Amino acid sequence: AAGYAGHVRAKSVQETFAHCTSIGENGDAQPTGVSAKSSKFRVIFPRDMHNLPEPQYLVHSIIPDCAVSLIYGPPGSCKSFLVMDLLASIASGQPALGKFPTLQGDAVLCAGEAPYAIARKRWPAWALVRGIADPDSVRFAIVPAVPLVSDPAEIATLIEAIEAASVTPRIVALDTVARAIAGQDENDMRSAGHVTAAAERIRDRFNCAVVLVHHSGKDEDKGARGSSAFEGNADAVFKMSRDRERGVVSLKCTKIKDADETDAAYFKEQRVGESLVLNWIPKDEHASLTRKNGGPTRSDVGTALRRLGIDVPTRPLAVELVEADAGEHAINAMVRLLQRDAKGSFAAYVVHQGTGGRDGTMWGLRP
C-alpha cells in the first residue's frame, strides 16, 4: 500500500507510451515527430518496453487508474453504496470501504438513480461512519443525471459542466448504464460501443478512471445484462452479490487487463439512519456468516455438543462449529449467530440461560 498517501497522478496509456518512445537508449530525449498531445497513436519497440511502468491502482487492488471499470450485479446488491464509498474515499483520501488505500483526487458521481437520497442520506451516513471532520472540504461532487451516451453533445455538456465547476476528477462514475443508453437495445453491440466511447472520451479528457455501474441478467452466472461487449470492452470487470438476510456483500473481479485478477472482497452492511455503509470483513468471517444460510443447523449443534460431552458456554461451542483453521473474526461471528438463535431455532438444545455476557447462554443436549 506504499505510496497511497500522495497525490501523484498516473500517466494515461497514451502519455506513458509517448514518454517511452521519446527516451533513447542512454536516457536522452529523442524527437518523436509528433507531440504527445497531438495523437494517441504511438510506435514502441522492444528496446523501449522496459521503460513501461507497472499499472497503478486508484483504489488498491480494486480500481485501476486511467481505466474503464464495469461493476455489475442484480438490483438491490448495494452497487450504488459501494461505488459511492469508492468515490468518496478517493475524494477524502480515506481507505475505501474501511480497508483499501486510495490515491486522493476529485471524484464525480453521475447519479441517474436516487441522487437526492445520495446527497441527503447516503453521503452524510458515510461521512459520519468514516469520521470526516469537515465534510464540506471533501471534493466529492454529484451530478443528478447520467448523459445519454448515444448523443456526443451530452458527453460534451457533461465535460463542460465538470470543468465549469473547477473540478479535475480523478474518477468519474456513471450510475447506471441502463440510464446512459436509454431507448437503445442493451443486446446490441452498438449500445455497448456508445458506452465505451463515452467512457473513454471522459477518461482521455481528464486523464481519470471511469466506473460504469450495470445490472446483471436474469441468470447472474452469465454476467452483465445485455451484450457481452459491455464486459469485453472494459479494462476491469467486477461482479457484486448480496445476502440480504445476513447483510453481507461480495465483490469479485472477473476480468482485469494488465494485471492479475485479485481475490474477492467481502463487506458487512452497517445500518446508519435510513442508509447503509459497507465495511470490509475478512473472508473467514464472511464464510461463517453465510455458511448454510448464515449459521449452523440443529444437527450441527447437536453433533458438536455430543463431541464436547459437557454443558458449555457459547464461545467454546462456537470454536467447535467453525473450521479448524478459522480466525478470531469467524469465531466471533459464530458467537453472534448462536446468541441470536439461542432462544429461537436452537431452544431445544439450551439447558439454561446465564445472567449476562457474551457467554451467558449455556448449551447442552436435553435428555
Side-chain angles (χ1 to χ4, degrees), residues 23 38 40 46 55-56 87 97 165 178 218 238 299 352 358:
I23 301 298
S38 64
K40 65 182 179 181
Q56 189 174 26
L87 268 65
L97 301 152
K218 292 181 179 180
F238 300 89
S299 177
H352 65 271
R358 65 180 183 178

Side-chain angles (χ1 to χ4, degrees), residues 83-306:
V83 170
M84 195 208 78
D85 191 297
L86 295 174
L87 268 65
S89 298
I90 290 167
S92 62
Q94 294 282 316
L97 301 152
K99 170 67 175 181
F100 304 94
T102 59
L103 292 174
Q104 189 172 7
D106 294 357
V108 177
L109 173 58
C110 296
E113 299 181 356
Y116 292 102
I118 293 171
R120 295 176 178 175
K121 299 177 182 179
R122 300 178 188 177
W123 160 251
W126 180 89
L128 177 65
V129 170
R130 298 292 183 248
I132 304 299
D134 183 11
D136 291 337
S137 67
V138 178
R139 301 280 293 175
F140 170 63
I142 299 173
V143 177
V146 173
L148 189 62
V149 295
S150 60
D151 184 357
E154 288 216 359
I155 304 302
T157 301
L158 172 63
I159 291 173
E160 291 170 2
I162 293 172
E163 293 176 332
S166 299
V167 175
T168 305
R170 191 108 199 218
I171 186 169
V172 175
L174 304 183
D175 187 2
T176 61
V177 167
R179 298 273 182 170
I181 62 171
Q184 299 184 68
D185 183 0
E186 287 185 339
N187 295 302
D188 189 340
M189 289 183 64
R190 288 174 295 183
S191 298
H194 286 144
V195 172
T196 301
E200 291 181 345
R201 185 175 174 186
I202 295 168
R203 178 200 65 191
D204 295 343
R205 177 63 187 85
F206 295 112
N207 190 24
C208 69
V210 178
V211 173
L212 306 170
V213 183
H214 194 27
H215 296 295
S216 57
K218 292 181 179 180
D219 185 347
E220 295 179 27
D221 293 332
K222 292 185 177 180
R225 193 172 67 191
S227 171
S228 61
F230 285 115
E231 294 185 56
N233 293 345
D235 298 304
V237 180
F238 300 89
K239 175 185 177 181
M240 284 195 68
S241 59
R242 180 189 186 191
D243 185 330
R244 186 184 296 270
E245 181 181 356
R246 305 305 176 190
V248 292
V249 175
S250 66
L251 180 71
K252 178 175 175 57
C253 178
T254 62
K255 168 192 171 182
I256 188 165
K257 297 178 180 178
D258 298 325
D260 295 329
E261 291 182 10
T262 55
D263 294 335
Y266 305 99
F267 313 99
K268 185 81 169 67
E269 299 171 15
Q270 178 181 352
R271 174 66 62 177
V272 183
E274 298 181 62
S275 185
L276 293 174
V277 176
L278 300 180
N279 298 299
W280 176 85
I281 57 174
K283 181 179 180 179
D284 60 353
E285 181 173 355
H286 176 268
S288 290
L289 289 170
T290 56
R291 178 174 176 264
K292 295 183 180 178
N293 294 324
T297 64
R298 291 190 180 190
S299 177
D300 293 331
V301 174
T303 299
L305 289 173
R306 281 189 291 270

Side-chain angles (χ1 to χ4, degrees), residues 283-351:
K283 181 179 180 179
D284 60 353
E285 181 173 355
H286 176 268
S288 290
L289 289 170
T290 56
R291 178 174 176 264
K292 295 183 180 178
N293 294 324
T297 64
R298 291 190 180 190
S299 177
D300 293 331
V301 174
T303 299
L305 289 173
R306 281 189 291 270
R307 192 160 50 232
L308 290 170
I310 55 174
D311 293 347
V312 294
T314 302
R315 187 171 182 79
L317 177 60
V319 172
E320 187 71 17
L321 287 166
V322 299
E323 300 295 331
D325 58 349
E328 191 68 16
H329 288 291
I331 295 171
N332 289 336
M334 182 61 72
V335 167
R336 291 192 294 271
L337 289 172
L338 290 170
Q339 288 176 325
R340 183 194 66 196
D341 290 334
K343 296 182 180 180
S345 60
F346 297 136
Y349 292 117
V350 177
V351 175

